Structures are given as structure tokens and as C-alpha cells.
Amino acid sequence: MTELRHRGATEKELQEQHSEDKVTDKEKGSETEGRSERDGASDSEIKPDTGVAEVPVPADDTPEVLNKALSGLSSRWKNWWVRGILTLAMISFFFFIIYLGPIVLMMIVLCVQIKCFHEIITIGYSVYHSYHLPWFRTLSWYFLLCVNYFFYGETVTDCFFTLVQREEPLRILSKYHRFISFALYLTGFCMFVLSLVKKHYRLQFYMFGWTHVTLLIVVTQSHLIIHNLFEGMIWFIVPISCVICNDIMAYMFGFFFGRTPLIKLSPKKTWEGFIGGFFATVVFGILLSYVMAGYRYFVCPVEFNNDSNRFTVDCEPSELFQLQDYGLPSVLQSITGWTTVKLYPFQIHSIALSAFASIMGPFGGFFASGFKRAFKIKDFANTIPGHGGIMDRFDCQYLMATFVNVYIASFIRGPNPTKVIQQLLALRPDQQLHIFNSLKAHLTEKGLLPALEEAA
Amino acid sequence: MTELRRRGGGGDPDSTESISDKEADGDDRLGFPGEGEGDMEGDSKADTPDVPPSADNTPECLNKALEGLSSRWKNWWIRGILSLTMIVGFFLIIYLGPIMLILLVMGIQIKCFHEIITIGYRVYHSYELPWFRTLSWYFLICVNYFFYGETVADYFGVLVQREEPLQFLVRYHRFISFALYLAGFCMFVLSLVKKHYRLQFYMFAWTHVTLLIVVTQSHLVIQNLFEGMIWFILPISTVICNDIMAYLFGFFFGRTPLIKLSPKKTWEGFIGGFFATVAFSFFFAYLLSPYQHFVCPVEYNSETNRFAVECEPSNLFVMQEYTLPAVVQNGVRWKTVNLYPFQIHSIALSSFASLIGPFGGFFASGFKRAFKIKDFADTIPGHGGIMDRFDCQYLMATFVHVYIASFIRGPNPSKVLQQLLLLHPEQQLSIFNMLRNHLQEKGMLPPAVEEAQ
């Protein structure tokens, strides 16, 4: 997301950056930090180009059609337009996918995850010149597959419980799921040990560590996103939109009012942008939740309907998504002349979510900036013209996904009744009896059961 | 554990210690070319007792007692004595009970973490990095808080319900842990210093991978412990036995090298160790199974406020008769044999320990070669650091945990009850009715007259 604020660089600078990799660390440290800073500084507008169409296109995979359409503009505006158009394209694509439904969203999340993993691993290769390491690419992808198998297996077992119980091979796979996943992982581990080559030990351990940290960051977060999605599509859409909005708003506020730098790590961020973005995002979050909370399609948990074998989003909306009256504090009453206001309780929660997105989200961006500075890369990749790689767009999202998941688990959702039933049925009969008696005592206390005399 | 096999007597043939930095990679600042070199045991110096004890913290009393021996035998004796000491210490702690074991596991975890982080510091010369040591220990505390919180919430359920502040902490436990972790993350980002970005990211990653390995495994060890102390004792003993047996077999019969990474391991040692370990664990399981102290799940008795290990042993630990297959019957002339079912499981555990456990050792060997260190630390005289002793245990702990979850244990009843109590009353009621019907079907409840609800 920080790339929104770094304008395009010329090809020369990119080349200089790549050649830096071969210099030793010490020199690199001092020299290139300066260079990156100059990068950031000179980055802003002023390459004194004439309005000529022949600006050299650095490693730029802007589609030809865009290039032609914008051929008349100067480099600065051309970049601005390219970014703007791509941004709109991505946002429309996002809405289109939402329209298509949960399964497509899951596939998209999976693809984004794979691409992010690929980008980060490729950076590791180029940093360590380890293309020729035996087995390593195979092992990295193998570990990605194992971890995905583990997580998807757990998700599938939870959501598709009835379907899984029906089919015999699926039932066995799900019963011994952890064991199978662990065995797969161990195979990869043993292959790694057997592939250690005498002169490349350190490199191989670095890449092993690099792969695991990447898996930790990328894969776990993407699965948390999918869990959030299953709670209800609104828990997926609102956080992501808040982060995107925060980026755009902070950029706008910074552009128009920006004066005081925020952090040395990203010299283009300003306090004005940060604070302005915060307020704008909170307001946006409230409005967006108001719009979305009215529709069942967004609000209901995604469930797998065993009869129709499809995902359905149909339910009685929970209290969170029903309009309630809130009395305004007297201060606001005098200003607006209303005594109460109708809100969805979810909108209160959305304030917490958007506050997190505005305050903590940028730290994810700083982390990615620091990472890029540390390894002297400008962008994670060149996938999206004008924006860089997929990781550049998603760096702030990761912290957000974990936060939403933890938030839901702590404040919103209780345990899943279906899951509890499953676990109950898996217990031994005497344990079930014990729980039955405890539950009966509890319910009788609460007055839900008339005091019964049952011989247990 | 691999150190057991590096005997004295001649320098170690692996000349990797002298690899120049360039071969490892061109980019990093490696500082210390020959760090491990002079350190090898039995460096075939003279047989005099004046062998310079290179960073050796053998206690003085041992040194005096072994004065007269040559360097090689001296080392052998030191190792032997320390091994016996560690094994005796292990049994003593078992005798002292579960709480001591938990404290011991925690102590070992902290020491292992410290050792690995210290290696990271040395490798990257990053002592002067601002904040970094604080942050590493802070992350360790966060992750431990998260894991111990989950454990405490599970096992001390009743105690937790009584105390108000504990209840609050348990209910929002994940949120609090996440907030703590985030604080550390933000501190890290704010501590990034211009010239040290790469170093700081390396140390960040190093810390996280270490946490992943060390802390999660130690918590799995503790969870295994709660299943019953036998699930803790047997795997650890099996790994130790495999090490010792493979060493002895290799010493007496060893000829064919096993893997280039550890040139002193041999196929004869590997296979001999496998059979010896399976036999050992078979008998050891037989020894331990009759005792409730080892076999029962560790539970917290809320009345006496202590851990209690008392129960009706499950089917796994009740003698059963197995008919021998015809082949063995001819050989042995017994028709049936009385075994604990647990002994069958112990065969699986010991096979894993013998076949896959050594890979943990190879991994640690490779790690030491990669970073050109001889031992993880010098904590135990003659053996190296704590990590050296525990490198094979880690895979074992995860395996035992996954094994129990897949083949032995069902869900934890108290946890299910907790979740039940958190549901909405209507959901509780519907589950209650469903459960009642289920139990009536099974005959656990007399078919009750339908009361007006």
C-alpha cells in the first residue's frame, strides 16, 4: 500500500538497485539508505520531462492499450492516470467478485495467497542467489501445499461436516487429518535434511527459515480471512474496504494538507494524512456498515446446504444486524436536535474495526517498507502496473485479518453449536452422562427446565 | 544428542569448519572463520593431564578425580558421569510430580531459547542493535502467556470460574494475547534503524522461527504430560535410549557411514539402535503401565487445590490377552500372551523415535555446520548446551501429541462443557434434548416419561 505514495522511478535507478545486491552489507547499508531516500525524495514529481511521448518505460508492463490512450501526457500525469485506472479496475473487480459469491471469494483468496508466497520466495532467491540450490523450490512449494492442506482440511471438516460423514474416504481423511498433515510435513522436513549440501548449509537454512516465516505470515492470515468470510461476508468486506479507504484517504489528506513527516521509514507519510485518514475511515466504516447491514446476503454466515449441495447465505439476522434505538448523549442532542438515533449495533463494532485499520494498519505498511529497504527492492514484484506486486497491495491487510478474527472470537461469536454437538457425540457414554447431568443442573438453575425428577 | 557419537581420538574428519565465508554466501557479514576449530575433543594432544580445557566448565571435583587419565578417557568418563547425572535427575523430577515437571520443561524451554538467540547475536554481530534483546524476550513472554493461558483455561476450569479477575482474563484471552503481541510488533517497527534494517529483519525472523520450534514444542510436551505421565516419560526415554544404543552399536559394529552430514553415524548403529529401542520401550511400557501415578491423566483437584493423579485406568492400560500368530506360536509354544494395549502403541512411538528422531539430530548438525559452531552452548560439561541434548526430542513431542489426538484421545469433556455453558440458552436447551434422546437410545438413561416443558 505504500507504493501509492512512491511515484514511478526510472529504469536507471532500478538497475542501480539490483547491482547493489552484490556489494557487501556494510557499504550497502550506508550507501543505499541514502539512495532510497533520494529515491523517495526525487520520486515526487520532478523528472523534468518534456511532454514527449517517448518516456522510457522501465520494466513496465502497462498494457499497450493504456499506453496508447495516455501517450499524449507527460510521465508524471501518465503515472498518475495509470495508477488511478488500475485502482478503479481493482475496486470494480472486488465488487464483481463479491457479487459472484463465497466460493469465488475463497478461490480468489487462495490465488492471492499463492501469488504473495511466490513473490516473497522469489525475493529470497534473488537476495541469496540461490537459484541453483538443489530441491529448494520444490521444497518451498511442497511446504506451502502441506500447510494449506492442513488448514483447508480443518475448515472443510468444520463446515462440510455432514457431507464428510457421508463419504467413506473423506471420513477417514478427516478423522486422521492431523496425523496425515503431520506425516506430510515430516516428509518435507526429512527431504530438507537429506538435501543439505556441504557448501550451501547456511543458504539452505536461510531459505528454510525464510519459507517458514513466509508461510506463517501469508498462509495463516489467508485462512483467518476465510474464517472471517464464513462468519458473514460483511466481516470480510468491511475490514478490507476500511484498509483500502484508509490508504486512499491518508494519501489525499497528505497530498493536500501534508506537512509534518510521520516516520523516518516512509518519508512521504505525514501526520496530517494519518489523522485525516483516521477520521475519514471511521466515518466511511460507519456508512458502509449501515449500507451493508440491511442485506441478508452480507450478514448471514455462509453455510453449506447438504440438500442442495451449495453454499447458502440465508438466515435470521442476529441482533447485531437489527436496527436499535440508541439515546444520544445530551451534547449531541443539542446539536442535532434528535433524541435517539437508529443504528445497527454492528456500526459500533465497525468503529473499532476502522480505528484499528487506521492506526495499526499503517504499521503493516511500515513493516513492508522496512523489509523492502532492508533487501533493497523497490516493489515486491511487477504484477500490477503502477502499483507493484500483490504483496504491495496487501501488506496492510494482514494485521487486519488477524485482528478481525480475534475480535470476532472474543466479542461476537460464541462457540459453534454444531461443533459442540460433534464433540459431544465423540465422547464416551459415561462422559456424556456426566455432561448431561451438569447441563441439566445448569438449565434448572436458570429456570429453563422445570425441576424434574429423573433417575439418571 | 549427536555429540554422543563424536568421539575423541583424532580430529573430526569434517573439514567444514574451515569453509571460507564466501562459500556459504556472498552477502552476509560472517565474522568468525575458525570459531569451532580448536575446540574438538581429544584433539590428539599428548596424553598428559594438562590438556587445556578450552572453554570447559567441568567442575573442579571431577577434574581432580580424573586427573590421571588420558584426555580421551577423561572425556569419556566426563560424558558418562554427566549422562548418569542427567538420567538420575530425570527420575528424581518424575518422583517429585507433575508441577515440578512443568517447571522443568519451562526452564529448559527458556534456556534453549536463550541459546539459540545468543547464537543469532554472535552470527550477526548484533549485540549493539537497539532494543533487540528486549524484544526477543518480550515475544517469548507473549507466546508463553498465550499458550499457558489456553492450558490454564482448559485444565483449571473450575478454579477459573471462581475468581473474578481470572474469568475476565480467560474470556478475553486471545484478544489480550494479540494486543500484547501487536505492541511488540509496533515496537519492532519503531525500532528500525536506518543502517541496520536487514540485520533487524533477520533477528526478527530468527526469533520467530525459534519461538515456533522451541515454544510450541514445549507446550506440546506439557499437553502430553497432562494426558498421563507415561506419555511424557516413555517418549523421552525412548529417544535417549535410541541415542545410547545407536552409539554403542556403532562403536562395536559400525562400518558403513549413514549420511554425509554426520560422518560418525553408521547404518549398523542405526539399525541396531532401532531394534534395541523397540525392545526397550516394549519392556519399559510393561513396567510403567500398572502404576496409576504414571497412567492417569493429571487433573487439578479443586477441593484440595492440588494436582491429583488418580483414576480408573483406561482400556489402554488394562492387561488383555492377544493370540499370537501361528508362526510365532510354533516358535515360542505359547498360544496367547498377556499384554497391555499400550505396549502396541509403544512400538509405534519407539519406531518413530528411532527412524525419524535422528533427522532432528541431523537438522541440528546441519545448523551447527551452517553457522560454524561446535555446540549450541557450554552449559553441560562434555555434552554442550541444552539444545544439543534436546534436538531429537522436538519432533518426538509433536509426534506424540498428534498420535494421541488421532488415535487415543477423544475431545476433552470439561472443555466441551465449558463451551456448552457459553452458548445461548435456546441452543443449550436444544442440545440438552438431543443429548437426552441420544442417551436414552443408548440405554444410559431410563426412558423417561415426557414431562410438560
Side-chain angles (χ1 to χ4, degrees):
Chain A
M1 292 284 180
T2 58
E3 283 315 294
L4 257 170
R5 295 177 187 80
H6 287 264
R7 296 305 183 70
T10 60
E11 183 169 38
K12 186 155 160 290
E13 283 185 30
L14 281 176
Q15 275 175 354
E16 279 167 344
Q17 285 203 327
H18 282 304
S19 65
E20 288 301 317
D21 284 346
K22 306 210 172 53
V23 183
T24 65
D25 229 15
K26 259 204 189 89
E27 297 148 51
K28 269 192 276 191
S30 41
E31 211 182 320
T32 334
E33 303 315 330
R35 192 180 296 277
S36 318
E37 293 229 296
R38 284 202 297 279
D39 229 1
S42 68
D43 224 356
S44 57
E45 346 325 338
I46 340 288
K47 304 260 162 46
D49 287 311
T50 63
V52 181
E54 246 114 77
V55 174
V57 178
D60 181 16
D61 53 6
T62 322
E64 262 317 294
V65 60
L66 273 180
N67 265 333
K68 283 217 193 75
L70 302 170
S71 54
L73 301 166
S74 73
S75 152
R76 171 191 174 190
W77 286 108
K78 180 175 174 193
N79 264 315
W80 215 97
W81 275 105
V82 169
R83 279 178 163 274
I85 291 178
L86 259 305
T87 310
L88 278 177
M90 287 192 290
I91 293 181
S92 331
F93 183 65
F94 184 46
F95 282 122
F96 180 61
I97 304 273
I98 292 174
Y99 173 72
L100 285 179
I103 299 216
V104 179
L105 271 170
M106 272 172 65
M107 307 270 222
I108 296 285
V109 170
L110 184 64
C111 291
V112 168
Q113 174 206 108
I114 293 180
K115 190 70 180 76
C116 288
F117 184 78
H118 175 73
E119 282 179 9
I120 300 184
I121 293 290
T122 312
I123 290 175
Y125 288 152
S126 57
V127 167
Y128 293 112
H129 307 286
S130 51
Y131 279 112
H132 48 277
L133 269 189
W135 281 99
F136 210 79
R137 258 186 272 203
T138 318
L139 275 175
S140 302
W141 289 104
Y142 178 80
F143 281 128
L144 177 69
L145 237 104
C146 282
V147 181
N148 266 321
Y149 174 77
F150 172 68
F151 278 122
Y152 273 105
E154 302 257 313
T155 315
V156 162
T157 311
D158 283 349
C159 299
F160 294 83
F161 184 63
T162 324
L163 173 69
V164 166
Q165 295 296 68
R166 277 198 313 231
E167 310 284 338
E168 196 46 37
L170 283 186
R171 203 176 63 82
I172 294 184
L173 278 185
S174 101
K175 185 159 155 57
Y176 299 108
H177 178 250
R178 287 198 178 182
F179 193 74
I180 296 174
S181 311
F182 184 61
L184 288 176
Y185 177 80
L186 268 190
T187 317
F189 183 83
C190 295
M191 290 310 306
F192 169 71
V193 171
L194 292 172
S195 78
L196 287 173
V197 175
K198 193 156 156 177
K199 292 194 202 296
H200 299 293
Y201 288 145
R202 191 183 284 226
L203 260 186
Q204 290 181 294
F205 272 93
Y206 278 164
M207 291 308 295
F208 187 77
W210 190 288
T211 304
H212 278 68
V213 175
T214 310
L215 283 174
L216 194 70
I217 298 177
V218 173
V219 180
T220 51
Q221 309 284 345
S222 78
H223 278 275
L224 291 178
I225 290 183
I226 292 183
H227 272 274
N228 297 344
L229 182 70
F230 273 96
E231 284 297 314
M233 281 169 58
I234 200 172
W235 292 103
F236 172 79
I237 297 171
V238 168
I240 291 187
S241 314
C242 284
V243 174
I244 295 176
C245 168
N246 182 59
D247 251 12
I248 296 177
M249 289 297 153
Y251 175 73
M252 295 283 176
F253 276 87
F255 187 74
F256 290 117
F257 307 116
R259 229 167 311 152
T260 335
L262 181 59
I263 188 173
K264 275 200 298 270
L265 198 49
S266 294
K268 296 204 137 214
K269 306 236 174 132
T270 57
W271 276 102
E272 290 85 3
F274 187 69
I275 297 178
F278 171 72
F279 285 110
T281 307
V282 169
V283 170
F284 171 80
I286 294 180
L287 290 176
L288 183 70
S289 343
Y290 182 75
V291 166
M292 290 206 154
Y295 298 92
R296 278 206 195 161
Y297 182 68
F298 295 125
V299 152
C300 292
V302 175
E303 275 161 24
F304 185 73
N305 191 330
N306 299 310
D307 310 309
S308 61
N309 270 2
R310 298 190 55 213
F311 280 106
T312 50
V313 222
D314 208 8
C315 67
E316 191 61 40
S318 80
E319 299 158 349
L320 217 50
F321 301 102
Q322 289 173 6
L323 274 176
Q324 288 178 17
D325 274 331
Y326 287 90
L328 284 177
S330 37
V331 176
L332 285 178
Q333 274 188 26
S334 30
I335 299 179
T336 56
W338 295 329
T339 38
T340 63
V341 68
K342 278 186 171 313
L343 287 179
Y344 294 100
F346 180 72
Q347 291 181 270
I348 317 285
H349 291 295
S350 80
I351 296 180
L353 295 181
S354 42
F356 182 86
S358 319
I359 300 179
M360 285 296 165
F363 276 92
F366 299 150
F367 187 82
S369 285
F371 181 82
K372 285 188 282 193
R373 299 259 172 123
F375 296 99
K376 293 179 216 12
I377 51 179
K378 175 131 202 338
D379 287 330
F380 279 93
N382 280 322
T383 320
I384 310 177
H387 288 268
I390 302 264
M391 269 305 288
D392 288 297
R393 292 277 65 82
F394 284 88
D395 51 20
C396 300
Q397 301 282 359
Y398 284 112
L399 283 180
M400 192 74 203
T402 317
F403 177 75
V404 173
N405 191 276
V406 171
Y407 191 86
I408 294 178
S410 302
F411 297 109
I412 312 281
R413 173 187 57 172
N416 188 357
T418 335
K419 210 165 170 185
V420 177
I421 293 179
Q422 283 173 32
Q423 291 181 321
L424 258 183
L425 295 175
L427 289 173
R428 291 201 305 264
D430 55 315
Q431 292 167 322
Q432 288 175 345
L433 196 58
H434 173 70
I435 289 186
F436 176 77
N437 289 330
S438 311
L439 188 58
K440 187 170 68 167
H442 176 79
L443 286 175
T444 317
E445 254 182 65
K446 285 204 156 203
L448 288 168
L449 279 180
L452 301 168
E453 289 300 314
E454 275 196 41
Chain B
M1 290 283 181
T2 57
E3 286 310 296
L4 258 170
R5 293 182 186 77
R6 301 251 177 81
R7 291 296 308 284
D12 206 302
D14 52 326
S15 53
T16 53
E17 318 278 307
S18 52
I19 289 183
S20 69
D21 291 352
K22 288 209 186 59
E23 289 174 12
D25 67 8
D27 261 351
D28 270 284
R29 273 187 293 148
L30 307 171
F32 46 102
E35 171 140 329
E37 249 154 6
D39 251 350
M40 298 186 239
E41 326 150 37
D43 234 0
S44 65
K45 306 226 170 80
D47 281 2
T48 66
D50 279 332
V51 173
S54 58
D56 181 18
N57 54 5
T58 322
E60 264 316 295
C61 55
L62 273 181
N63 265 333
K64 282 214 192 79
L66 303 171
E67 250 174 7
L69 302 167
S70 75
S71 148
R72 174 183 175 197
W73 286 107
K74 181 176 174 193
N75 265 314
W76 214 97
W77 274 104
I78 291 182
R79 280 180 161 272
I81 291 176
L82 258 305
S83 301
L84 277 177
T85 315
M86 288 194 287
I87 293 179
V88 167
F90 183 46
F91 282 120
L92 180 70
I93 305 249
I94 291 176
Y95 174 73
L96 286 177
I99 299 215
M100 287 305 299
L101 273 170
I102 293 179
L103 287 178
L104 177 73
V105 170
M106 191 149 153
I108 290 181
Q109 174 207 105
I110 293 180
K111 190 68 181 74
C112 287
F113 184 78
H114 176 72
E115 284 179 8
I116 300 185
I117 294 288
T118 311
I119 291 175
Y121 289 152
R122 284 205 326 246
V123 169
Y124 294 113
H125 303 286
S126 51
Y127 277 116
E128 74 276 4
L129 271 188
W131 281 99
F132 210 78
R133 256 183 274 199
T134 320
L135 276 175
S136 302
W137 289 104
Y138 178 79
F139 281 126
L140 177 69
I141 293 176
C142 282
V143 180
N144 265 322
Y145 175 77
F146 173 67
F147 278 120
Y148 273 107
E150 303 257 312
T151 316
V152 163
D154 284 350
Y155 290 102
F156 292 78
V158 179
L159 173 69
V160 166
Q161 299 294 2
R162 280 198 311 230
E163 311 282 338
E164 202 36 53
L166 282 186
Q167 227 184 13
F168 175 77
L169 281 183
V170 165
R171 187 160 158 64
Y172 299 108
H173 179 250
R174 286 199 178 182
F175 193 74
I176 295 174
S177 310
F178 184 61
L180 287 175
Y181 177 81
L182 268 190
F185 182 83
C186 294
M187 289 312 306
F188 169 72
V189 171
L190 293 171
S191 78
L192 288 173
V193 175
K194 194 158 150 177
K195 293 193 202 296
H196 299 292
Y197 288 146
R198 192 186 281 225
L199 261 187
Q200 290 181 292
F201 272 93
Y202 278 165
M203 289 309 296
F204 186 77
W206 190 288
T207 305
H208 279 66
V209 175
T210 310
L211 283 174
L212 194 71
I213 299 177
V214 174
V215 180
T216 50
Q217 309 282 344
S218 76
H219 279 275
L220 291 179
V221 168
I222 291 182
Q223 295 217 354
N224 296 343
L225 181 72
F226 273 98
E227 284 296 313
M229 281 168 60
I230 199 172
W231 291 104
F232 171 78
I233 297 170
L234 190 79
I236 291 187
S237 318
T238 312
V239 174
I240 295 175
C241 168
N242 183 59
D243 251 10
I244 297 176
M245 290 295 154
Y247 173 72
L248 288 176
F249 274 87
F251 184 71
F252 289 117
F253 307 116
R255 229 168 310 152
T256 337
L258 181 60
I259 187 174
K260 275 201 295 274
L261 197 50
S262 295
K264 299 210 142 209
K265 305 230 178 141
T266 58
W267 275 102
E268 289 84 5
F270 187 70
I271 297 180
F274 170 70
F275 285 110
T277 307
V278 170
F280 165 80
S281 75
F282 196 76
F283 285 116
F284 197 47
Y286 180 78
L287 270 184
L288 287 181
S289 295
Y291 297 96
Q292 274 190 12
H293 181 67
F294 295 124
V295 152
C296 290
V298 174
E299 272 161 27
Y300 184 75
N301 191 332
S302 27
E303 287 123 39
T304 61
N305 272 0
R306 299 190 55 213
F307 282 105
V309 219
E310 250 179 43
C311 66
E312 190 63 39
S314 80
N315 293 342
L316 219 49
F317 300 102
V318 173
M319 275 276 210
Q320 288 178 17
E321 276 194 55
Y322 289 89
T323 37
L324 290 175
V327 177
V328 183
Q329 275 189 25
N330 291 338
V332 173
R333 266 186 287 120
W334 294 328
K335 293 250 182 43
T336 63
V337 68
N338 278 329
L339 286 180
Y340 293 100
F342 181 68
Q343 290 180 273
I344 318 283
H345 290 295
S346 78
I347 296 181
L349 296 181
S350 48
S351 311
F352 181 85
S354 322
L355 296 173
I356 309 284
F359 278 91
F362 300 150
F363 187 82
S365 287
F367 181 82
K368 286 188 280 194
R369 301 256 173 127
F371 296 100
K372 298 192 204 21
I373 51 181
K374 178 142 200 332
D375 287 329
F376 279 93
D378 283 320
T379 320
I380 311 177
H383 288 268
I386 302 261
M387 270 302 290
D388 288 295
R389 291 279 64 82
F390 284 88
D391 52 19
C392 300
Q393 302 282 359
Y394 284 113
L395 284 179
M396 191 73 202
T398 318
F399 176 75
V400 173
H401 183 83
V402 170
Y403 191 87
I404 294 177
S406 300
F407 297 109
I408 313 280
R409 172 186 61 172
N412 185 359
S414 47
K415 203 168 178 181
V416 178
L417 187 58
Q418 267 181 38
Q419 291 183 318
L420 261 182
L421 294 174
L422 283 176
L423 290 172
H424 287 300
E426 310 90 55
Q427 293 167 322
Q428 286 176 345
L429 203 53
S430 75
I431 291 185
F432 176 76
N433 289 330
M434 188 251 355
L435 188 58
R436 188 176 56 181
N437 293 336
H438 177 79
L439 286 174
Q440 278 169 357
E441 269 171 47
K442 287 206 154 203
M444 301 285 302
L445 278 180
V449 181
E450 280 304 314
E451 310 271 342
Q453 299 268 341

